[in-house]
Amino acid sequence: MAEGGSVPNDGTEFEAKITPIVIISCIMVATGGLMFGYDVGVSGGVTAMPDFLKKFFPVVYKRIQEKGVDSNYCKYNNEGIQLFTSSLYTSALLATFLASYTTRKFGRTRSMLIAGILFQIGVVFNATAINLSMLIFGRLALGCGVGFANQAVPLFLSEIAPTRVRGALNILFQLNVTIGIFSANMVNFGTAKIKGGWGWRLSLGLAGIPAILLTIGSLMVFDTPISLIERGKHEEGKRVLRKIHGTDDVELEFKELLEASLVAKEVRDPFRNLIMKKNRPQLVVAVALQIFQQFTGINAIMFYAPIIFESLGFGSNASLYSASITGAVNVLSTIIAIKVVDKEGRINLLLKAGGQMFFAQVIIGLVLGIKLKDNTNNLGIVFSILVVIMICTFVSSFAWSWGPLGWLIPSETFPLATRSEGQSVTVCINMLFTFIIGQLFLSMLCTMKFGIFLFFSVWVVVMFFFTVFFIPETKNVPIEEMAERVWKKHRIWKRYMVDEDVKEMEEDMLDESDMLDDTESGASQA
């Protein structure tokens, strides 16, 4: 998509402004991240509430009441709790494929509307649950909503934002994720004090607020020009172009979008096209980013922050308070990302954060290994504060790097012909590995103990070197020029960026040349 301030291949600069309508639309749509983040944050908080455990997980409740029976690392090790947390991501994984179809055929805003409705259904079941089955069903409905939202929102933000601020506006999604996590932590901190055993219902029920905001936003904002043109609504697409750019001079850009749309329509099977050689670099990078994002260990900390702090010897209130601190750090650091992502670039942020995350995780692992025994808490106030500071350092580093950039880079690098499908695969892989981490973390914590943090630190080293060699810089590059200006010039990926038609033509010419040589050789022998 040619965007505000971008320069097309013929050297003509498109006139565009950062208009209020673009800013307002991006803010409203980014509430999809608020919905996702609140759910990530709320699950860990309610699973640390005694009343919730007593009703749905009585075995765990009994275990934590008996002091000194279980290892500090194993108090909450329970498959049911892990299923409650991770079931959402199973349905999100499956829903994203349907979301890919609706996003392409019916537009980005329609997918966001479906997301909001599905999420509200899940909220109702969770807040009114009377048994574990009802609770899990609600989580599955929430997951479907997350799958649709994470498919459509990043695409919308990347397609509507002017090139020079595309990174900043896209990170609004991740900023809302962090605000949602922080809000959930604060809500849990308050509802945990409610007498009568219904505080957890209020925590789960308040998830409906961001879902309602996304539903309203999807009905009020217009779809992106590229989506409208892609669906044959050319005049409406041109009208939206004029609105978002604040100018009537959009003919050249409209023509370029129309041509790109026609090329995309020639692709009969977008998912098959996605694995073609020329699209492989974008696919590999997008998939790797999602795997690495989860193997930083961030969601393990975000899901289970209250449980982790309580397992480390913090009291119930202190654990929620510490989780709220990390949530606040998460929000503030994401705001930093918005300010610097289009100035420093993507690669620089990923590499700097990798060093900080590695340092923080190694320190946490060493402190726990030396000071925290299975059945006694020897951390003390000094080392407890150090652990909180290191967790905050880790969360901060992730929040201005791998968190937002894990969503930004895939959303801006896929070509139009495979963009919706590419985003679908991105979300699918993210949900798959989020499910794996959510389902296994408490068992891993019980088995590996302090070594779990050293395990994640090794992955951070792998991520660092992958970034150096395989991830290209996409700062200030218009989306429609990514292939020419980024992938075809990358020292490793350029060998894959061969046009299949040109390659086929060259092979035909080579065959004809061989045939001609054989003919001439035969004539000479005769």
Side-chain angles (χ1 to χ4, degrees):
M1 173 181 173
E3 301 168 295
S6 64
V7 182
N9 295 330
D10 63 2
T12 304
E13 185 172 352
F14 295 138
E15 182 185 352
K17 304 171 185 176
I18 304 173
T19 55
I21 196 168
V22 169
I23 302 296
I24 293 170
S25 296
C26 288
I27 291 173
M28 293 183 70
V29 167
T31 54
L34 188 66
M35 183 179 79
F36 181 35
Y38 185 91
D39 189 80
V40 169
V42 80
S43 58
V46 296
T47 50
M49 294 181 186
D51 291 321
F52 180 83
L53 291 174
K54 189 175 182 179
K55 184 171 183 62
F56 296 105
F57 306 102
V59 173
V60 178
Y61 175 77
K62 183 179 179 181
R63 186 190 301 162
I64 63 175
Q65 298 302 311
E66 299 174 3
K67 305 295 182 184
V69 174
D70 258 324
S71 163
N72 284 316
Y73 296 99
C74 300
K75 289 179 181 177
Y76 290 88
N77 183 27
N78 179 270
E79 290 185 3
I81 288 181
Q82 293 178 133
L83 179 63
F84 165 72
T85 302
S86 62
S87 57
L88 178 148
Y89 302 97
T90 308
S91 57
L93 188 156
L94 298 174
T96 188
F97 289 104
L98 178 59
S100 171
Y101 175 81
T102 60
T103 302
R104 174 184 283 274
K105 294 295 182 182
F106 304 108
R108 287 39 168 161
T109 55
R110 286 292 174 267
S111 286
M112 289 185 279
L113 176 63
I114 294 171
I117 293 172
L118 288 171
F119 204 86
Q120 289 175 64
I121 292 172
V123 167
V124 171
F125 272 88
N126 271 355
T128 60
I130 56 175
N131 53 51
L132 186 59
S133 298
M134 196 171 174
L135 199 66
I136 298 300
F137 180 84
R139 294 288 290 177
L140 293 174
L142 292 175
C144 291
V146 167
F148 273 85
N150 286 16
Q151 163 73 17
V153 172
L155 283 184
F156 181 96
L157 295 172
S158 285
E159 291 178 351
I160 205 170
T163 299
R164 61 187 181 276
V165 293
R166 183 177 65 231
L169 290 181
N170 193 284
I171 291 176
L172 282 175
F173 175 75
Q174 182 66 20
L175 176 62
N176 274 274
V177 171
T178 63
I179 292 173
I181 293 171
F182 176 68
S183 300
N185 288 334
M186 297 307 295
V187 167
N188 287 335
F189 186 71
T191 57
K193 299 177 181 179
I194 295 176
K195 305 297 181 182
W198 56 273
W200 61 269
R201 292 189 186 275
L202 181 59
S203 287
L204 296 176
L206 289 175
I209 294 176
I212 291 171
L213 291 176
L214 180 64
T215 304
I216 294 172
S218 66
L219 292 171
M220 294 181 65
V221 302
F222 45 76
D223 217 330
T224 66
I226 191 62
S227 177
L228 292 167
I229 293 169
E230 188 179 27
R231 290 180 287 131
K233 300 180 179 182
H234 297 165
E235 287 305 313
E236 188 177 351
K238 187 185 291 186
R239 178 175 60 80
V240 172
L241 263 183
R242 295 192 187 103
K243 279 189 174 183
I244 64 174
H245 288 339
T247 177
D248 290 331
D249 186 17
V250 296
E251 288 299 328
L252 184 59
E253 184 174 4
F254 174 75
K255 182 180 178 182
E256 194 165 301
L257 291 176
L258 189 58
E259 290 173 355
S261 175
L262 293 173
V263 170
K265 284 183 178 179
E266 292 176 2
V267 178
R268 294 184 178 180
D269 189 345
F271 277 105
R272 187 176 179 182
N273 184 265
L274 192 61
I275 61 174
M276 290 174 63
K277 187 174 182 179
K278 64 180 180 180
N279 293 322
R280 218 165 290 163
Q282 301 96 313
L283 182 63
V284 170
V285 168
V287 168
L289 281 168
Q290 305 316 305
I291 296 173
F292 289 148
Q293 190 187 69
Q294 297 311 310
F295 276 92
T296 59
I298 186 64
N299 272 341
I301 290 176
M302 290 296 103
F303 288 156
Y304 302 115
I307 290 176
I308 290 173
F309 284 120
E310 192 161 345
S311 295
L312 300 183
F314 294 73
S316 180
N317 286 338
S319 67
L320 286 171
Y321 187 66
S322 299
S324 299
I325 292 174
T326 60
V329 168
N330 201 11
V331 174
L332 294 174
S333 300
T334 306
I335 293 173
I336 292 173
I338 292 176
K339 290 182 174 294
V340 302
V341 66
D342 290 313
K343 295 178 182 177
E344 287 210 25
R346 284 56 162 156
I347 303 302
N348 199 19
L349 294 181
L350 291 175
L351 295 178
K352 284 182 178 178
Q356 291 185 24
M357 286 192 291
F358 177 80
F359 172 77
Q361 287 174 321
V362 169
I363 295 297
I364 294 169
L366 291 177
V367 169
L368 298 185
I370 295 170
K371 300 297 294 182
L372 187 69
K373 306 306 178 185
D374 277 355
N375 300 105
T376 58
N377 173 28
N378 298 318
L379 273 182
I381 188 168
V382 174
F383 284 103
S384 295
I385 292 173
L386 177 60
V387 168
V388 172
I389 290 174
M390 286 298 101
I391 287 180
C392 287
T393 300
F394 168 77
V395 169
S396 174
S397 302
F398 178 87
W400 51 258
S401 62
W402 285 89
L405 297 181
W407 293 109
L408 170 60
I409 294 174
S411 72
E412 65 184 3
T413 52
F414 282 108
L416 176 61
T418 59
R419 190 172 301 161
S420 181
E421 288 69 27
Q423 183 67 13
S424 178
V425 171
T426 298
V427 175
C428 175
I429 297 298
N430 187 283
M431 294 299 108
L432 173 62
F433 281 86
T434 303
F435 167 78
I436 291 172
I437 293 295
Q439 185 64 31
L440 297 181
F441 177 73
L442 292 179
S443 299
M444 291 170 68
L445 180 64
C446 182
T447 303
M448 300 173 71
K449 299 181 171 59
F450 65 89
I452 189 71
F453 293 97
L454 302 180
F455 168 79
F456 287 129
S457 71
V458 172
W459 277 97
V460 172
V461 174
V462 176
M463 291 157 49
F464 182 92
F465 286 104
F466 184 88
T467 301
V468 170
F469 293 106
F470 294 102
I471 300 181
E473 181 56 69
T474 55
K475 178 185 73 171
N476 294 334
V477 179
I479 290 178
E480 82 284 356
E481 296 179 31
M482 285 290 173
E484 295 294 329
R485 290 173 54 178
V486 174
W487 300 105
K488 288 185 178 180
K489 294 182 179 179
H490 192 272
R491 61 184 180 276
I492 292 176
W493 296 123
K494 62 183 179 182
R495 70 190 69 175
Y496 290 87
M497 301 305 294
V498 179
D499 191 291
E500 298 294 324
D501 294 333
V502 173
K503 185 178 178 182
E504 208 172 286
M505 190 181 300
E506 289 175 349
E507 289 175 351
D508 291 341
M509 291 175 65
L510 188 61
D511 290 341
E512 289 177 8
S513 177
D514 290 341
M515 290 175 62
L516 184 61
D517 288 343
D518 292 341
T519 302
E520 289 177 353
S521 176
S524 175
Q525 289 176 2

